[in-house]
Amino acid sequence: MKEYKYKINGTEYTVQIGDIVENIANVTVNGEDFQVEMENEPEPEKKKVVVNPAAAKQQESTDEGASAGPVNTENALKAPLPGVVVEVKVAVGDTVNAGDTVVVLEAMKMANNLDAERSGKVTAVLVKAGDSVMEDTPLVVIE
C-alpha cells in the first residue's frame, strides 16, 4: 500500500492507494475508503500498412498481349521482405534477361535491387513507385 500526503487549499489529506483489480483501485482518504474506477489507457494508434492490392487493381495496358483479366501471379517476382517500392525499372511488354534489375525495394532503410529470376517478357507490373508491400507480394510477372 502506498501512502501520499497532500495539501490542497490549506487542507491536509493522507491518501493510501491499495490493490488495483480490473481498473478499480481501493483508495483511503483521511481514513475514509473509496473504490475508484480508473480509465483504461488508450491503446496507441497502430499505423496500418497500405498494400497495393496488385492483382485486383491492375490497370489495363495499351500494349499488345496485355490482358485485362486476372493475372497469373505464379511466375511473378515477389517481394522478399516488407518494404516500399522505390522504382519499377520495367514496363509491360519489355523483354528481360535473368539477373536484370526490375524493381528497387527499400526495406530497413536500404535499397534492394530485385532481379529477374528468369528471362522472358514482362506481362504485368503489379506495383508502382511509393507502394508499400508485404513479404511475398507479387510485383512483376515475367513469362
Side-chain angles (χ1 to χ4, degrees):
M1 184 175 289
K2 293 185 179 182
E3 183 173 303
Y4 302 93
K5 294 190 180 201
Y6 297 100
K7 191 172 195 177
I8 302 172
N9 294 332
T11 305
E12 291 186 14
Y13 296 92
T14 301
V15 179
Q16 296 173 332
I17 301 175
D19 296 331
I20 300 173
V21 179
E22 296 182 18
N23 288 347
I24 304 290
N26 294 313
V27 178
T28 303
V29 179
N30 291 347
E32 190 173 342
D33 292 330
F34 296 92
Q35 286 193 340
V36 178
E37 184 175 347
M38 301 176 353
E39 287 184 10
N40 289 327
E41 287 187 30
E43 290 185 27
E45 186 176 321
K46 295 179 183 176
K47 292 185 178 183
K48 295 182 180 179
V49 176
V50 179
V51 177
N52 180 23
K57 289 189 174 183
Q58 182 190 13
Q59 294 180 347
E60 229 179 285
S61 175
T62 56
D63 294 336
E64 286 191 35
S67 67
V71 176
N72 177 9
T73 58
E74 206 170 290
N75 294 328
L77 172 67
K78 296 182 180 177
L81 64 166
V84 176
V85 176
V86 175
E87 181 180 5
V88 178
K89 294 185 170 258
V90 295
V92 173
D94 288 354
T95 301
V96 296
N97 294 316
D100 289 351
T101 300
V102 293
V103 175
V104 179
L105 181 71
E106 182 181 303
M108 302 187 307
K109 298 186 180 187
M110 291 182 60
N112 299 282
N113 291 334
L114 303 182
D115 300 334
E117 296 168 349
R118 67 176 60 97
S119 297
K121 184 176 181 181
V122 176
T123 58
V125 176
L126 306 172
V127 293
K128 64 184 181 310
D131 285 350
S132 293
V133 296
M134 299 302 292
E135 186 174 354
D136 292 329
T137 300
L139 306 173
V140 176
V141 179
I142 301 171
E143 294 183 2

